[in-house]
Amino acid sequence: MIEELLARNKTWSKERRAEQADYFERLSNLQEPEYLWIGCSDSRVPANVIAGLEPGEVFVHRNVSNLIHPADLNMLSVVEFAINQLPVKHIIICGHYGCGGVRAAVSGKRFGLIDHWLQPIRDVAETRFECKDCGTWSDTDLDRLCEASVAAQVQRLARTPILQAAWKAGKDISIHGWVYGLHDGLLSDLECTVTGA
């Protein structure tokens, strides 16, 4: 299996060079994305592919259920680097319908360490919805919870010292909340954008 991945890589590299001889030379000089994508780790939601962007056009951070934890040094380092070292102007927090993390968060079951990670989703469920355990949540309810969680993560990121300092310094950065439909491949703007203005 691993050897097959390496073989596929060689084929992919050869195809890119056949299409455009300087593809990799151009790509190696292209790290100037205007977008930071904070998305779910779900393998069905690759940022570049679903947004129709080439490598180098989007800086990406992914975690289970696209959550913003104020103590997540990995995510905060990515955000700080994107804001201070890259010309990122738009941060997109993108969830997706059918998210297993959203379902697990309100299932009433315990899974281990991930339970701590998913707490922000439970917080949204408890403050915004009457249903408390997954047995009473329909797929439509879970989709609404997914959307509400994305909007809450936009607000959480906006309150971080990194974004507050960037806006105070006059940087033009917007945080957007989107959701991706696994069944139709479409991105939807949840209209919860936050700017420093």
Side-chain angles (χ1 to χ4, degrees), residues 23 39 57 62 68 140 149 152 170 189 191 196:
Y23 180 83
E57 293 182 323
R62 293 169 71 174
I68 304 298
T140 300
S149 177
D189 186 346
E191 299 181 7

Side-chain angles (χ1 to χ4, degrees), residues 31-165:
Q31 176 76 330
E32 294 182 1
E34 290 189 19
Y35 311 100
L36 166 59
W37 180 282
I38 300 175
C40 185
S41 298
D42 192 304
S43 62
R44 302 168 293 175
V45 192
N48 290 63
V49 175
I50 66 175
L53 296 171
E54 291 293 320
E57 293 182 323
V58 61
F59 199 56
V60 177
H61 174 78
R62 293 169 71 174
N63 65 53
V64 175
S65 300
N66 45 272
L67 295 175
I68 304 298
H69 278 273
D72 179 358
L73 298 181
N74 184 329
M75 181 273 305
L76 293 172
S77 297
V78 168
V79 171
E80 185 175 68
F81 183 82
I83 289 172
N84 294 330
Q85 306 302 318
L86 302 174
V88 166
K89 295 191 181 340
H90 300 277
I91 300 173
I92 300 160
I93 300 177
C94 186
H96 67 93
Y97 297 128
C99 181
V102 171
R103 181 176 297 278
V106 294
S107 70
K109 298 176 184 173
R110 291 292 166 237
F111 300 96
L113 186 59
I114 192 75
D115 295 325
H116 300 282
W117 181 260
L118 297 175
Q119 186 60 45
I121 298 171
R122 282 191 294 280
D123 292 344
V124 170
E126 290 174 8
T127 58
R128 303 268 314 271
F129 298 88
E130 292 182 22
C131 301
K132 295 294 189 260
D133 71 62
C134 199
T136 62
W137 291 75
S138 69
D139 288 343
T140 300
D141 292 333
L142 290 168
D143 288 347
R144 297 302 77 80
L145 177 56
C146 175
E147 293 169 351
S149 177
V150 169
Q153 303 320 302
V154 168
Q155 291 299 320
R156 288 178 84 149
L157 184 59
R159 290 191 304 267
T160 62
I162 296 169
L163 266 298
Q164 292 296 311

